[in-house]
């Protein structure tokens, strides 16, 4: 990967999460980075409705990535996201064939912030556990403690 560190890409995810809030959506953001460190896709959460629950940033990013890039190309990419991918998003990442995931906050840390808020009914199913059940070797890095306070703040403000 290029010379930029994880914090650079996670801060870009945070910008997308803040944009999602401005668009009246949940505060989550994700970016896809190629093997050279270039951001090739960005996605904020989109509206989640009664008839479509798939507006998560990571799932929507994988919809785009799967249409634009081959599985061989995606294997060398890294998906960065503000919070650990949920089970749905982890499945999309797995099926899309992304080789590495880096997240800022764990799902467990998010749960401490959101509690039982009905807007974010977390699953106690870490992405590492989802990926272990599959046949692909997906590297997972996170949570990234250097950005915990900065990332936590947007969720504390929102929830």
């Amino acid at each position: 990967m290029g010379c930029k560190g994880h914090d650079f890409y996670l801060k870009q995810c945070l910008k997308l999460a803040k944009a999602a809030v401005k668009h009246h959506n949940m505060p989550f953001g994700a970016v896809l980075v190629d093997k050279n460190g270039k951001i090739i896709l960005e996605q904020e959460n989109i509206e989640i409705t009664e008839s479509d629950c798939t507006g998560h940033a990571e799932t929507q990013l994988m919809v785009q990535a799967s249409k634009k890039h081959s599985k061989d190309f995606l294997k060398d990419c890294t998906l960065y996201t503000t919070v650990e991918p949920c089970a749905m998003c982890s499945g999309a990442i797995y099926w899309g064939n992304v080789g590495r995931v880096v997240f800022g906050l764990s799902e467990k840390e998010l749960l401490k912030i959101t509690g039982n808020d009905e807007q974010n009914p977390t699953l106690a199913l870490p992405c590492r556990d989802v990926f272990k059940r599959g046949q692909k070797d997906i590297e997972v890095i996170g949570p990234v403690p250097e950005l915990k306070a900065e990332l936590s703040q947007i969720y504390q403000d929102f929830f």
Side-chain angles (χ1 to χ4, degrees):
M1 190 181 321
C3 62
K4 296 174 181 139
H6 297 312
D7 60 337
F8 174 84
Y9 300 108
L10 289 170
K11 286 182 180 187
Q12 186 60 32
C13 293
L14 181 58
K15 287 178 189 176
L16 292 163
K18 289 177 180 179
V21 172
K22 287 180 184 176
H23 297 125
H24 308 289
N25 296 313
M26 301 272 286
F28 298 90
V31 298
L32 188 65
V33 177
D34 71 13
K35 67 181 178 182
N36 298 314
K38 179 183 176 194
I39 295 175
I40 57 173
L41 288 172
E42 298 182 335
Q43 182 65 52
E44 63 189 59
N45 252 46
I46 62 171
E47 184 178 11
I48 296 173
T49 66
E50 289 289 323
S51 61
D52 187 357
C53 62
T54 63
H56 294 194
E58 303 93 325
T59 294
Q60 291 299 309
L61 186 139
M62 289 310 303
V63 168
Q64 292 177 57
S66 296
K67 290 177 181 178
K68 294 181 179 182
H69 302 286
S70 72
K71 288 186 180 221
D72 285 341
F73 177 84
L74 292 172
K75 180 66 179 157
D76 293 327
C77 290
T78 301
L79 187 147
Y80 285 86
T81 183
T82 49
V83 176
E84 180 176 8
C86 71
M88 174 181 69
C89 294
S90 295
I93 292 163
Y94 176 84
W95 291 113
N97 209 44
V98 169
R100 180 185 306 136
V101 174
V102 179
F103 61 86
L105 292 178
S106 70
E107 188 80 1
K108 193 175 199 178
E109 290 167 322
L110 181 63
L111 178 59
K112 288 178 188 174
I113 296 168
T114 63
N116 65 352
D117 191 301
E118 66 182 32
Q119 293 181 88
N120 194 57
T122 60
L123 288 168
L125 183 57
C127 68
R128 285 178 175 93
D129 291 350
V130 173
F131 298 145
K132 280 183 201 173
R133 302 289 181 146
Q135 300 173 0
K136 300 176 184 182
D137 184 26
I138 299 172
E139 180 183 7
V140 178
I141 299 170
V144 176
E146 295 83 7
L147 294 175
K148 181 178 179 178
E150 192 173 353
L151 288 166
S152 295
Q153 190 62 53
I154 192 171
Y155 301 105
Q156 291 166 356
D157 293 345
F158 187 84
F159 293 100

